[in-house]
Amino acid sequence: MPDEQPAPGRPLAIACAGETLWLLPEHALWWPAARVLWVADLHLGKAATYRALGQPVPAGTTRENLARLSALLNHYQPAQLVFLGDFLHAAQARTPSLLAELAHWRQSHAALECLLVRGNHDSRAGDPPSALSIRVVDEPWPMGPFAACHHPQTDAGRYVLAGHLHPALTLRGPGRDHMRLPCFSVDKHCAVLPAFGEFTGGWQVERQAGRTLYAVGGGAVWRVPPGR
């Protein structure tokens, strides 16, 4: 019996640069008007890279990451998939098994237009194999009112969508209770997506004036009140 794909979580719509964007609990961003799906920081092959360095980390993360991505593609049916940097983790990630997994995934979505905005890890890992038909560009890459980037930055005339930071926040409860969750970080000029890849860690985002954080957990996205 084939594996059933999980039902999509509950997205949260926000207004941004005169458009409506959906923050997806699957750690992705959906632009329904243009049918564009953005994901950041897959870091495919990170576990393999660590194993090559002698670290006993589990295998199978590439297959899991690509399966989660396929579930999103099958549900939203985007016209374009944009990777906001750090597609491959390192040169050591280019193992025969990983490249075979990627080729199989691409064949399953052969008609989909894919674009990679180079990140810092892409500079070291190299561009994806040309057989994957993923167009590779440098940041910032204009997309209507948006600038697709890897590194958070400002861009005159466009709103920046970026990754790189793997943003996370800590929610605190009574006593010493606390919960650390990935999040979207949105301010006046730039939105930073949580890392899509498993096994990527996270960077604690500081709350500050003009920044709104949207926590991700339990199949949903919600706005975090300031100071919580």
Side-chain angles (χ1 to χ4, degrees):
M1 179 182 296
D3 294 336
E4 292 186 3
Q5 293 182 339
R10 189 169 69 252
L12 180 67
I14 64 170
C16 186
E19 297 285 336
T20 297
L21 300 180
W22 291 11
L23 311 181
L24 306 185
E26 293 82 9
H27 299 194
L29 188 64
W30 172 236
W31 184 12
R35 294 178 55 220
V36 174
L37 184 72
W38 287 286
V39 297
D41 300 289
L42 268 75
H43 287 273
L44 295 175
K46 184 172 184 178
T49 301
Y50 275 73
R51 288 195 299 274
L53 297 173
Q55 300 293 331
V57 297
T61 55
T62 294
R63 185 177 299 111
E64 293 167 4
N65 287 330
L66 294 177
R68 292 191 299 111
L69 185 55
S70 288
L72 276 180
L73 298 176
N74 293 335
H75 179 75
Y76 287 99
Q77 295 291 310
Q80 185 179 37
L81 171 62
V82 180
F83 300 103
L84 297 176
D86 290 1
F87 182 75
L88 293 171
H89 182 70
Q92 296 92 328
R94 305 173 79 97
T95 63
S97 60
L98 182 141
L99 296 178
E101 291 279 357
L102 268 175
H104 177 73
W105 171 83
R106 192 65 175 109
Q107 289 168 7
S108 300
H109 308 282
L112 177 65
E113 180 183 349
C114 294
L115 178 78
L116 168 63
V117 181
R118 287 188 184 94
N120 53 301
H121 278 265
D122 301 301
S123 299
R124 297 193 292 271
D127 292 343
S130 58
L132 295 178
S133 298
I134 298 175
R135 185 182 181 189
V136 183
V137 299
D138 293 321
E139 63 180 359
W141 185 254
M143 300 184 67
F146 303 108
C149 301
H150 177 63
H151 300 90
Q153 57 194 273
T154 58
D155 183 89
R158 288 187 172 84
Y159 189 88
V160 170
L161 305 175
H164 183 59
L165 298 181
H166 308 189
L169 58 84
T170 299
L171 300 177
R172 302 190 184 280
R176 297 184 179 179
D177 292 345
H178 66 276
M179 180 184 301
R180 195 162 190 264
L181 296 171
C183 69
F184 293 85
S185 175
V186 179
D187 63 29
K188 184 177 180 180
H189 302 288
C190 178
V192 183
L193 281 63
F196 187 86
E198 300 283 356
F199 209 65
T200 53
W203 174 76
Q204 183 75 22
V205 180
E206 299 300 328
R207 295 173 176 83
Q208 63 183 45
R211 175 180 292 167
T212 304
L213 301 182
Y214 298 89
V216 180
V221 180
W222 69 96
R223 185 179 185 276
V224 177
R228 295 294 298 276

